[in-house]
Amino acid sequence: MKKFTSVQDVANLQELVNEALHLKQNPYKYKHLGENKTLGLIFLNPSLRTRLSTQKAALNLGMNVMVMNLDKEGWALETQEGAIMNGNTVEHIKEAAAVMGEYCDILGIRSFPKLQNRDEDYSEQLLQQFIQYAGIPIVSLESATRHPLQSLADLVTITEQKPTGRKPKVVLTWAPHVKAIPQCVANSFAEWMGQADMELVITHPEGYDLADEFTQNATVTTNQDEALKDADFVYIKNWSSYNDYGKVLTDGEGWMMTNEKLALTNKAKVMHCLPVRRNVELSDEILDGQNSLVLQQANNRTYAAQAVLKRMLEAL
Ligand code: AN0
Ligand code: CP
């Protein structure tokens, strides 16, 4: 594997899920694989889970890890081709990425969308430039449009918990939030679950449709109660509007997940990528209750990252 930026980069999804489950049982079995290999992790935004689980995954494989908060600790980066750099940017991504490519064997990068200009965000310019100029395998740690390590961990979690003998019904439901949030987690979740063997339903208020490219294999409805009926898994996530790009269109009254709403489901397990706003996106009673899988999801981030890094190390 040369890059991990979307489900498109995965040759066989079931095999990768099985690899993650195998690594969960045998985390140190491939300790030799990463010997004298270096993983660089570059953050332009905050992170708790992605930062720690990906480091842990690399350490389990015997790799060295270097982490840099590029937005705070690096020079201001120029990304425009042909720029006359007489302003605030100090170095071009061409040099910065190439230099990191010299120091590392694999590079992970986190860079959120700015949510100002849809075409700019959805062109994934920064991620593409890292792929082009670093010259080494690149792992997305959440880019402008996707969060593939999260989705892989979510699919591993669902695989562990799903009922036997039938397809699970998985519902992605929009939830309220206090600020404008990227579409990444929702886009990726729809894209990955659409490739897996399950019934996927997405529900959100008017105006929150995700881009069609991600939702092709899903049923989409603005009726949350209808969507929740008989669900085995409920995945809760806020996102800002794609069509009215980056805007918050409603305070989402009535969309917060509660035990009352969960009663409509088939005793559904509840998922969220975290960080979560308690009693805004979902209630305390759910997060502190028996049906929550949020800690299992966070734990599986390690084995998702480890499966991806293992594939990349094997191909070096
Ligand atoms: C980010 C998002 O939804 O993209 C990161 C989630 C992993 N969440 C927030 O900004 C709260
Ligand atoms: N779920 C997730 O990616 O969390 P962090 O933003 O803390 O890494």
Side-chain angles (χ1 to χ4, degrees):
M1 200 187 276
K2 292 270 182 246
K3 65 185 172 86
F4 182 77
T5 63
S6 86
V7 76
Q8 258 56 265
D9 296 323
V10 179
N12 187 321
L13 189 51
Q14 192 56 52
E15 272 177 28
L16 193 64
V17 169
N18 290 342
E19 178 84 88
L21 290 167
H22 170 70
L23 289 164
K24 192 171 182 176
Q25 296 307 316
N26 307 276
Y28 312 117
K29 187 169 168 188
Y30 304 94
K31 191 92 192 170
H32 60 282
L33 198 61
E35 200 178 1
N36 299 327
K37 299 283 188 262
T38 300
L39 174 68
L41 297 176
I42 306 299
F43 288 88
L44 288 109
N45 308 96
S47 167
L48 187 158
R49 280 144 290 272
T50 306
R51 168 185 294 250
L52 295 180
S53 64
T54 311
Q55 283 189 63
K56 186 174 168 183
L59 295 174
N60 286 353
L61 290 166
M63 298 184 81
N64 302 311
V65 192
M66 303 194 294
V67 186
M68 188 170 180
N69 300 313
L70 198 60
D71 58 327
K72 299 184 188 74
E73 298 160 352
W75 300 108
L77 278 190
E78 179 59 56
T79 57
Q80 292 310 313
E81 183 69 36
I84 298 167
M85 289 172 56
N86 58 1
N88 292 329
T89 56
V90 183
E91 75 173 320
H92 204 281
I93 192 166
K94 287 188 181 185
E95 282 79 45
V99 167
M100 290 186 243
E102 297 289 342
Y103 300 151
C104 303
D105 298 283
I106 300 173
L107 202 55
I109 167 123
R110 165 167 285 198
S111 175
F112 288 173
K114 296 193 181 80
L115 295 178
Q116 304 291 321
N117 178 323
R118 185 169 87 180
D119 289 345
E120 201 176 295
D121 287 345
Y122 274 68
S123 76
E124 290 281 11
Q125 190 199 29
L126 194 83
L127 183 65
Q128 295 307 328
Q129 286 180 317
F130 265 95
I131 291 168
Q132 186 177 354
Y133 299 125
I136 58 172
I138 299 287
V139 181
S140 164
L141 306 174
E142 186 170 346
S143 68
T145 64
R146 292 171 170 89
H147 194 359
L149 283 174
Q150 181 67 50
S151 305
L152 176 55
D154 294 338
L155 185 54
V156 168
T157 309
I158 290 173
T159 303
E160 288 176 318
Q161 302 277 341
K162 70 181 179 189
T164 46
R166 64 179 174 84
K167 279 189 191 193
K169 178 175 175 183
V170 178
V171 178
L172 167 63
T173 178
W174 183 93
H177 204 287
V178 294
K179 52 180 267 232
I181 297 287
Q183 294 100 37
C184 310
V185 172
N187 283 346
S188 264
F189 188 77
E191 183 175 58
W192 282 69
M193 300 309 131
Q195 298 294 316
D197 190 26
M198 58 186 61
E199 182 193 347
L200 177 65
V201 179
I202 303 173
T203 183
H204 54 68
E206 296 280 351
Y208 281 93
D209 294 83
L210 298 166
D212 289 342
E213 61 176 306
F214 301 105
T215 57
Q216 281 159 7
N217 295 330
T219 304
V220 181
T221 170
T222 54
N223 187 335
Q224 191 190 37
D225 285 359
E226 185 66 32
L228 289 172
K229 220 174 272 174
D230 299 326
D232 297 299
F233 296 89
V234 178
Y235 198 99
I236 295 149
K237 187 71 186 84
N238 170 267
W239 61 89
S240 58
S241 176
Y242 172 75
N243 285 320
D244 196 354
Y245 191 65
K247 296 286 187 310
V248 175
L249 308 177
T250 167
D251 63 6
E253 205 192 329
W255 280 81
M256 181 175 87
M257 192 54 52
T258 59
N259 269 349
E260 201 180 331
K261 285 183 196 265
L262 270 191
L264 298 167
T265 69
N266 181 26
K267 299 189 177 70
K269 302 282 188 190
V270 177
M271 303 177 72
H272 191 288
C273 64
L274 305 181
V276 65
R277 297 265 183 160
R278 278 177 174 255
N279 303 309
V280 175
E281 296 176 79
L282 61 158
S283 62
D284 276 337
E285 57 188 4
I286 299 182
L287 279 162
D288 297 331
Q290 293 302 310
N291 288 16
S292 169
L293 293 180
V294 299
L295 297 184
Q296 285 90 329
Q297 286 172 266
N299 184 34
N300 283 332
R301 290 292 305 272
T302 299
Y303 308 105
Q306 203 170 329
V308 169
L309 292 175
K310 178 171 179 279
R311 287 279 199 278
M312 286 186 168
L313 286 168
E314 285 164 346
L316 280 181

